[in-house]
Amino acid sequence: MTDPVTLRTSDVVLDPYDYDFHEDPYPYYKRLRDEAPLYHNEQLGFWALSRHQDVREGFRNSTSLSNRDGVSLDPVSRGPHASKTMSFLAMDDPAHLRLRTLVSKGFTPRRIRELEPRVTELAIKHLDAMLEKAGGETVDYVADFAGKLPMDVISELMGVPEPDRDQIRAMADGVMHREDGVTDVPQSAIEASLNLIIYYQQMVAERRKKPTEDLTSALLEAEIDGDRLTDDEVLGFMFLMVIAGNETTTKLLANAAFWGYKNPDQLAGVYQDLSKVPLWVEETLRYDTSSQILARTVAGELTLYDTTVPEGDVLLLLPGSAHRDERVFDEPDRYLIGRDIGSNLLSFGSGAHFCLGAHLARMEARVALAELFKRIRGYEVDEANSVRVHSSNVRGFAHLPMTLEVA
């Protein structure tokens, strides 16, 4: 990296807590890539990388960029305690490799494959309920479908009883919400996190006494050469699933619906051939990824763009920006279903910390969107009353009102 351009030549400001930034971060990202590829925000205390090559190399650099303090910019979430709620995502090797390997014994591709028929059942259940309300009336696609299915799938995996799932979903929503101008985790989110952990603690205690066929029991039984997960390690992974597995998939489903609506020419082919749904999912992951910003802690020597980033500083990786980098993608600001993305997708990270749940997220999105399109001929989004979620790292909709043309 020889380009010496840094913030010194630019007045661009990146504030991940700003509501205007949440509405449309992409013009900010373009200026960062062009004017300040290594950006420094002294006020909020972070650096940021926005170009595709830099973000990908950042994900793969686990030597100079550490996960030890977690991946969130929020100060309360950062620190040695981060692994309690972020599991191995907030660890470096060898601890990361040990925990990830043990978790993988329970969270297997086979378990995900075997879950697909049940995911289809859950999707149909929620779609049927939404379509019943849709007769000429507006439905909230997030509240009625996209916000329900992913959390139900995780609850199904873990073995949460059906009567408790609405309550668990409400807690998960509470963990993520941020008010305008708040640059840390609010008290309401801390309380929601504690309530969620207390619920899962009780579940783990029950499974210790009486194992079942669910993922929670599989995690408790996972063993390699006598090494097993502790209760706290199982809880950390369960919490990670709620945050990383639930919220990002909810946002993916809503982002796909929104951008499909905004680009009807692109969606026409999907209506005619549902085998194109995975291409719709992939382009949504590129064009407007749920997971926009991930933090790392600088460990040791790190020099980028002729600038030494001090040890201990926070550096943000911006996959949301990387996916719009014209150095990698032709016409990156066009939503083009079926484009060749190849290995350039960074929505699930890259390297040692590549998302363990990527196959689950893709399967859920494929099933959900295909089942939706089996039941409708068209839909219209009420853009004026759509509400974006406000988060320092996740992008998507809190509410997406729409009218459906039932098939």
Side-chain angles (χ1 to χ4, degrees):
M1 300 179 190
T2 56
D3 186 342
V5 182
T6 66
L7 183 61
R8 289 187 291 276
T9 61
S10 175
D11 60 358
V12 63
V13 174
L14 172 67
D15 179 356
Y17 298 99
D18 179 61
Y19 270 30
D20 284 339
F21 173 74
H22 297 164
E23 288 300 322
D24 185 5
Y26 296 104
Y28 294 85
Y29 289 155
K30 174 151 182 56
R31 287 196 61 196
L32 286 176
R33 291 192 304 273
D34 291 345
E35 301 170 27
L38 175 65
Y39 168 82
H40 189 208
N41 186 315
E42 291 185 27
Q43 185 183 356
L44 292 174
F46 69 80
W47 302 77
L49 290 172
S50 50
R51 290 181 181 174
H52 189 280
Q53 181 183 344
D54 296 338
V55 174
R56 177 154 60 185
E57 288 178 6
F59 278 132
R60 293 177 177 180
N61 180 359
S62 48
T63 306
S64 306
L65 294 176
S66 168
N67 282 52
R68 68 183 184 227
D69 294 324
V71 298
S72 170
L73 181 62
D74 300 339
V76 165
S77 299
R78 294 194 61 71
H81 62 281
S83 61
K84 291 190 183 302
T85 53
M86 286 282 103
S87 188
F88 50 74
L89 197 55
M91 295 178 182
D92 297 325
D93 288 338
H96 158 261
L97 181 60
R98 171 197 165 260
L99 190 52
R100 186 181 173 112
T101 305
L102 276 167
V103 163
S104 297
K105 298 279 281 186
F107 192 70
T108 60
R110 179 181 173 182
R111 185 178 289 275
I112 302 312
R113 279 197 308 275
E114 291 174 349
L115 187 66
E116 184 167 335
R118 183 61 182 142
V119 173
T120 304
E121 285 176 20
L122 290 168
I124 290 169
K125 179 182 119 180
H126 290 308
L127 281 169
D128 286 349
M130 180 172 73
L131 293 174
E132 246 181 71
K133 296 165 63 174
E137 295 203 9
T138 301
V139 297
D140 185 341
Y141 175 80
V142 173
D144 294 328
F145 182 55
K148 286 186 173 180
L149 180 65
M151 193 64 226
D152 278 3
V153 171
I154 287 166
S155 290
E156 183 79 23
L157 256 177
M158 290 179 178
V160 174
E162 287 199 43
D164 294 353
R165 291 182 187 177
D166 286 349
Q167 174 195 2
I168 292 294
R169 202 184 306 123
M171 289 180 196
D173 289 343
V175 171
M176 296 302 292
H177 184 70
R178 299 291 180 272
E179 298 296 337
D180 192 6
V182 174
T183 58
D184 206 341
V185 179
Q187 187 61 35
S188 59
I190 294 171
E191 288 171 12
S193 300
L194 290 172
N195 289 333
L196 206 50
I197 288 170
I198 289 166
Y199 182 90
Y200 286 145
Q201 278 175 332
Q202 293 167 342
M203 259 186 70
V204 168
E206 287 170 10
R207 296 303 187 280
R208 283 274 185 216
K209 292 178 193 165
K210 190 178 178 184
T212 56
E213 295 297 312
D214 54 38
L215 177 61
T216 305
S217 294
L219 292 171
L220 291 170
E221 291 165 5
E223 181 258 332
I224 299 173
D225 297 332
D227 187 16
R228 291 177 178 267
L229 296 166
T230 66
D231 284 10
D232 281 350
E233 287 169 342
V234 172
L235 281 169
F237 180 69
M238 292 169 82
F239 201 89
L240 174 64
M241 287 281 288
V242 169
I243 305 308
N246 167 41
E247 281 300 310
T248 50
T249 309
T250 288
K251 305 305 177 273
L252 168 58
L253 289 174
N255 289 344
F258 181 77
W259 292 113
Y261 167 72
K262 295 285 284 180
N263 295 272
D265 61 316
Q266 294 299 309
L267 215 50
V270 182
Y271 277 109
Q272 292 162 4
D273 180 2
L274 293 183
S275 71
K276 292 181 177 176
V277 167
L279 299 175
W280 180 16
V281 172
E282 293 303 297
E283 177 61 351
T284 303
L285 285 166
R286 182 203 70 84
Y287 187 80
D288 199 17
T289 189
S290 308
S291 186
Q292 293 268 320
I293 295 174
L294 290 151
R296 296 290 190 267
T297 301
V298 177
E301 185 71 24
L302 183 67
T303 301
L304 300 161
Y305 294 98
D306 296 338
T307 303
T308 299
V309 183
E311 185 169 3
D313 277 18
V314 177
L315 184 139
L316 303 183
L317 302 174
L318 310 179
S321 171
H323 289 154
R324 297 290 189 97
D325 191 343
E326 56 282 339
R327 296 161 190 81
V328 173
F329 298 101
D330 292 332
E331 297 183 283
D333 294 324
R334 268 192 74 197
Y335 188 70
L336 196 60
I337 294 173
R339 76 158 67 232
D340 181 17
I341 299 171
S343 61
N344 288 319
L345 191 73
L346 299 175
S347 296
F348 300 109
S350 187
H353 283 275
F354 183 82
C355 176
L356 196 61
H359 50 306
L360 175 61
R362 284 179 162 125
M363 182 267 281
E364 275 184 71
R366 170 175 55 78
V367 168
L369 294 169
E371 290 300 327
L372 173 67
F373 269 33
K374 286 177 186 176
R375 287 164 173 74
I376 65 170
R377 287 196 300 268
Y379 64 98
E380 284 194 25
V381 172
D382 179 1
E383 289 186 64
N385 290 302
S386 299
V387 179
R388 287 206 164 273
V389 73
H390 296 292
S391 161
S392 58
N393 64 310
V394 175
R395 177 166 161 78
F397 290 92
H399 300 285
L400 193 65
M402 60 170 64
T403 52
L404 303 169
E405 189 184 342
V406 181

